[in-house]
């Protein structure tokens, strides 16, 4: 039985790689944010701002416990998921965890054009976002590095780069 969790900062490519890897391996792909949105018929932005972060994190934990029972699955979780409660330890017990490591400059480039749907970024200027990425990565790095595997994911900008990354990820995980 295969169960792999992809973790890492917003914009690290968890969804992009998760989709491509699951297709390659014939496994189901689950994105925790999408799963949560479907369950509650609300966007992450609405849930996060409506409930406040503390309550959102409790909900996120509950949703994690639901999807982490699925089998033969690749699961991408939210950027903050491993950093709250015992979520990281729980994922490590439920399956393999992979930290997608990406340079702050690359994260900035990706998130500049994809911040609107992200409650933690949507009201920030470019300068504020740059600062936020650096300081939040610093706060989160000890959690992220508690994953079983670390995978460098700086180059995911087109089909051939994604294909190359899937090959490397398969080799890393011996799949
Ligand atoms: C968050 C990341 C988001 C989403 C929420 C909070 C975070 O997921 O769960 O906006 O704390 O980093 P992505 O990493 O998929 O953007």
């Amino acid at each position: 039985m295969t169960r792999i969790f992809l973790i890492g900062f917003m914009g690290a490519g968890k969804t992009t790689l998760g989709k491509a890897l699951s297709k390659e391996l014939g496994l189901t792909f689950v994105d925790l944010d999408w799963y949560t949105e479907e369950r509650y018929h609300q966007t992450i932005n609405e849930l996060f701002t409506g409930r406040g972060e503390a309550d959102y994190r409790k909900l996120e934990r509950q949703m994690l416990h639901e999807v982490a029972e699925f089998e033969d699955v690749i699961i991408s979780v939210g950027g903050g998921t491993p950093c709250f409660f015992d979520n990281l330890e729980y994922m490590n017990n439920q399956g393999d965890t992979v930290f997608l490591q990406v340079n702050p400059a690359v994260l900035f480039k990706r998130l500049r054009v994809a911040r609107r749907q992200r409650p933690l970024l949507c009201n920030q200027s470019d300068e504020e976002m740059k600062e936020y990425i650096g300081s939040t990565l610093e706060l989160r790095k000890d959690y992220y590095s508690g994953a079983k595997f670390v995978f460098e994911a700086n180059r995911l900008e087109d089909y051939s780069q994604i294909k190359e990354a899937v090959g490397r990820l398969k080799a890393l995980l011996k799949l």
Side-chain angles (χ1 to χ4, degrees), residues 10 14 33 44 48 56-57 60 78-80 118-120 140:
M10 292 174 272
K14 302 178 294 278
D33 287 350
I44 293 297
F48 196 102
Y56 172 79
R57 295 300 177 188
E60 180 178 54
R118 290 184 162 98
L120 293 169
R140 291 181 172 181

Side-chain angles (χ1 to χ4, degrees), residues 23-61:
K23 198 168 164 206
E24 169 81 14
L25 298 173
L27 299 172
T28 304
F29 172 66
V30 178
D31 179 283
L32 184 63
D33 287 350
W34 295 352
Y35 180 85
T36 306
E37 289 182 336
E38 269 181 33
R39 279 278 265 103
Y40 284 85
H41 305 288
Q42 283 183 61
T43 63
I44 293 297
N45 232 332
E46 286 165 348
L47 288 164
F48 196 102
T49 42
R51 293 167 173 252
E53 179 163 7
D55 206 46
Y56 172 79
R57 295 300 177 188
K58 289 187 199 153
L59 177 80
E60 180 178 54
R61 179 172 180 273

